[in-house]
Amino acid sequence: KLNIGVDAVQHGVEGLTYLLTESSKLMISDIDFQDSIHVLGFSDELNKLLLQLYLDNRKEIRNILGELAPKLPSYHSLEWRLDVQLASRSLRQQIKPAVTIKLHLNQNEHQTAQVLQTDPSTLLHLIQQLEQALGEMKTNHCRRIVRNMK
């Protein structure tokens, strides 16, 4: 009925979907949305229809996107133990430390536990990497990204 190819219709639907989901994610204002679609070169009537479509459906789109987001486990508690092997039959003078960690997580109203074991040097490296990541979160660039994600 449209006298256009299947690919053109598919690309049009995908583009419209992308436009509405990204605009809803960022909760952009009416004026910003109009500025975004004005660049596309559509007629004023079509721009008004797209704006009305966005305004009518942005809350529903945000709800659907929120439901589709993965539910990540959250921290509940942590238990740890330090084990040191001082000697064995073959080696009488040996020190072999190991840190055992039991991490309790909450996921979908259920509590799970993960047991991890590592040596102290690897644990220190992991701590340094996590502290570096936390330091990067304090930069202006990361703050801007996090602010735009909300």
Side-chain angles (χ1 to χ4, degrees):
K1 288 183 179 182
L2 297 175
N3 293 329
I4 55 175
V6 175
D7 289 338
V9 173
Q10 181 179 353
H11 292 305
V13 170
E14 288 172 354
L16 184 60
T17 304
Y18 181 78
L19 173 70
L20 292 175
T21 54
E22 291 300 314
S23 300
S24 298
K25 273 187 208 175
L26 300 174
M27 283 297 286
I28 62 174
S29 67
D30 316 8
I31 297 168
D32 291 336
F33 185 82
Q34 285 177 332
D35 289 343
S36 299
I37 61 175
H38 182 70
V39 176
L40 299 175
F42 295 137
S43 66
D44 289 338
E45 182 181 332
L46 185 57
N47 288 344
K48 288 178 185 177
L49 287 172
L50 287 173
L51 175 65
Q52 193 59 41
L53 181 69
Y54 167 67
L55 293 175
D56 292 343
N57 296 310
R58 71 177 162 191
K59 288 183 181 177
E60 185 177 349
I61 292 171
R62 283 186 64 84
N63 289 338
I64 291 170
L65 290 174
E67 291 172 5
L68 293 176
K71 306 289 188 229
L72 299 175
S74 62
Y75 170 81
H76 178 69
S77 65
L78 178 91
E79 300 174 37
W80 64 275
R81 181 179 74 212
L82 177 64
D83 296 324
V84 180
Q85 182 178 353
L86 296 175
S88 66
R89 288 184 188 180
S90 60
L91 293 172
R92 293 191 176 164
Q93 298 273 329
Q94 112 182 12
I95 296 177
K96 188 176 174 184
V99 178
T100 304
I101 301 169
K102 188 173 185 180
L103 184 62
H104 297 275
L105 303 171
N106 292 330
Q107 185 172 18
N108 299 333
E109 307 291 327
H110 299 292
Q111 196 172 38
T112 60
Q114 299 288 327
V115 178
L116 310 165
Q117 189 172 24
T118 185
D119 59 315
S121 61
T122 305
L123 185 60
L124 286 173
H125 178 70
L126 180 64
I127 290 169
Q128 290 172 348
Q129 292 297 311
L130 290 172
E131 286 176 347
Q132 182 182 356
L134 284 174
E136 287 182 19
M137 282 301 298
K138 294 178 183 177
T139 63
N140 288 334
H141 180 70
C142 285
R143 285 183 181 169
R144 234 178 295 130
I145 290 170
V146 169
R147 192 175 333 119
N148 286 333
M149 285 175 41
K150 292 179 182 178

